[in-house]
Amino acid sequence: MRRFSLAVSAALILSACLTAAPAQAHDGPGALGIDNCTADACHFDVPPGTYDVRVLLGGDAGSSTAISGETRRSLLPETSVAAGERVARSFTVDVRTPEGEPTGPDGTPGLDLAIGGSAPALADIRVTPAARHTRRILLIGDSTVCDQPADPYSGWGQQLPQFLRKGVSVANYADSGESTVTYLGNPRLWGTVQPLIRPGDLVLIQLAHNDKTTDEATYSANLETLVTGVRDKGGRPVLVTPIVRRWFNADGTLNNNTALLVNGLGVDHPAVIRSVAAAEHVPLIDLTAKTKALVESLGVEGSKAIYLYNEKKDNTHTSVHGATVYAGLVRDELLARHLVPRGTVRVG
């Protein structure tokens, strides 16, 4: 594929304001810039860590560019630029192994970015190690949260990074099929994630969909264990109630056990989460209430696009569109509860 060529004006601007990382830390001069890109992708040979990415978008014609990376994470929303203009955008990305679900394949070493959008135009890019004080949001969850490896699936955690600016990264350790029991019991999950938590890290916990046979006492105790474990490392736990299942009553409501995550033992998962959050003085994001209101407002037909009903007859897992909408709800709650600084969040 052809390589991008920088416009002379863009090159002059960038040479004055962007500095490449030291050559000894990477493959040599230019290893963290546009020379690592083809027309639709970039690869940077960097070790696991947190990196700031600054892009310059635009070209001679009008353009519209979006950037995703690693395991299908949305990192920059589609951004339109008028013909002949250049727009700079920045974001922070987590590079880890495995790069997607913790129990999944390792993925490709380094940082991989995909250049997409309806009319993509990448004029320049620089990747540098993030500052030590960079804020981090860790996610603990199930398949409705995780970095899903393949279309048409997407977890809301996979879409959350696009709502954040440089200075906040998302480290998504959600894993498909996990309950509070299996997450705590698997050394590749909680046993790996807890030691990674740094003082000040925000840790969002949404586990419920797979606790189908977990009794209430065990479920509550498991949530308390996760909260305590986060606090023991200096992290800031946030409990998140699960997204609803798209399971309508005849009257157009979701007022039933299937939709509202009440298991076969009668354990009302959202109610237990709310109770633990109150007892442990933990911030709560009531995603069950938020998604219930949204799905009911869209109705039986309109809500199909949020889930994978049309593709898979699936009323639990979300499409890319639905995951993006739900990630926006999480963004709104993070702001409303002052859990992240407003300047680090993309609004609108």
Side-chain angles (χ1 to χ4, degrees):
M1 300 181 193
R2 67 177 180 83
R3 300 269 180 179
F4 280 101
S5 297
L6 291 178
V8 174
S9 59
L12 291 174
I13 294 171
L14 286 162
S15 65
C17 64
L18 298 176
T19 303
Q24 65 269 25
H26 303 282
D27 292 340
L32 294 181
I34 197 73
D35 288 344
N36 291 79
C37 300
T38 63
D40 58 3
C42 302
H43 173 76
F44 300 94
D45 187 14
V46 297
T50 306
Y51 294 88
D52 291 332
V53 180
R54 176 183 170 90
V55 295
L56 194 69
L57 307 177
D60 293 338
S63 63
S64 186
T65 308
I67 298 178
S68 60
E70 298 294 86
T71 304
R72 302 176 60 242
R73 301 179 216 159
S74 295
L75 300 171
L76 188 71
E78 190 148 352
T79 303
S80 298
V81 182
E85 295 186 3
R86 300 291 187 273
V87 169
R89 292 288 185 269
S90 297
F91 54 88
T92 300
V93 61
D94 171 67
V95 177
R96 62 182 183 271
T97 303
E99 70 177 36
E101 296 178 85
T103 61
D106 284 354
T108 305
L111 171 60
D112 288 285
L113 302 177
I115 315 303
S118 57
L122 177 68
D124 194 59
I125 186 169
R126 286 292 184 270
V127 175
T128 55
R132 289 182 179 273
H133 63 270
T134 296
R135 296 173 184 270
R136 190 166 60 161
I137 300 174
L138 282 76
L139 304 180
I140 291 173
D142 53 36
S143 58
T144 66
V145 184
C146 75
D147 288 348
Q148 290 280 359
D151 282 327
Y153 295 89
S154 179
W156 62 255
Q158 202 163 18
Q159 302 301 323
L160 186 60
Q162 67 182 293
F163 293 107
L164 302 170
R165 302 179 188 274
K166 174 185 172 183
V168 182
S169 70
V170 175
N172 191 350
Y173 288 96
D175 197 71
S176 292
E178 306 301 341
S179 65
T180 58
V181 176
T182 61
Y183 203 96
L184 284 168
N186 190 333
R188 297 184 67 184
L189 297 171
W190 182 237
T192 296
V193 175
Q194 193 202 17
L196 298 176
I197 299 171
R198 304 177 308 203
D201 281 345
L202 204 63
V203 184
L204 275 57
I205 302 165
Q206 187 217 280
L207 287 167
H209 277 86
N210 300 301
D211 279 279
K212 299 173 183 177
T213 59
T214 310
D215 63 79
E216 184 167 337
T218 301
Y219 184 65
S220 180
N222 287 345
L223 293 175
E224 291 167 2
T225 297
L226 290 165
V227 167
T228 300
V230 172
R231 284 175 166 163
D232 285 347
K233 302 294 291 186
R236 298 183 294 153
V238 178
L239 290 176
V240 183
T241 60
I243 66 170
V244 293
R245 294 190 181 99
R246 183 189 164 277
W247 200 264
F248 282 93
N249 295 326
D251 63 359
T253 70
L254 301 179
N255 296 323
N256 60 76
N257 288 352
T258 299
L260 299 181
L261 283 296
V262 179
N263 74 11
L265 301 178
V267 180
D268 186 332
H269 293 105
V272 175
I273 295 170
R274 295 175 190 123
S275 177
V276 172
E280 297 294 324
H281 305 288
V282 175
L284 174 74
I285 294 178
D286 198 341
L287 203 52
T288 304
K290 294 290 183 181
T291 56
K292 178 179 186 291
L294 176 62
V295 171
E296 288 180 341
S297 72
L298 292 171
V300 173
E301 290 301 317
S303 62
K304 288 179 179 178
I306 295 290
Y307 291 84
L308 292 173
Y309 180 84
N310 294 324
E311 299 86 350
K312 302 284 185 178
K313 296 296 186 287
D314 186 333
N315 292 305
T316 297
H317 298 97
T318 49
S319 63
V320 171
H321 165 67
T324 303
V325 172
Y326 285 177
L329 296 177
V330 174
R331 180 270 317 270
D332 293 345
E333 291 297 291
L334 291 173
L335 279 174
R337 281 154 179 71
H338 307 290
L339 295 171
V340 293
R342 181 166 291 274
T344 62
V345 177
R346 302 182 195 278
V347 180

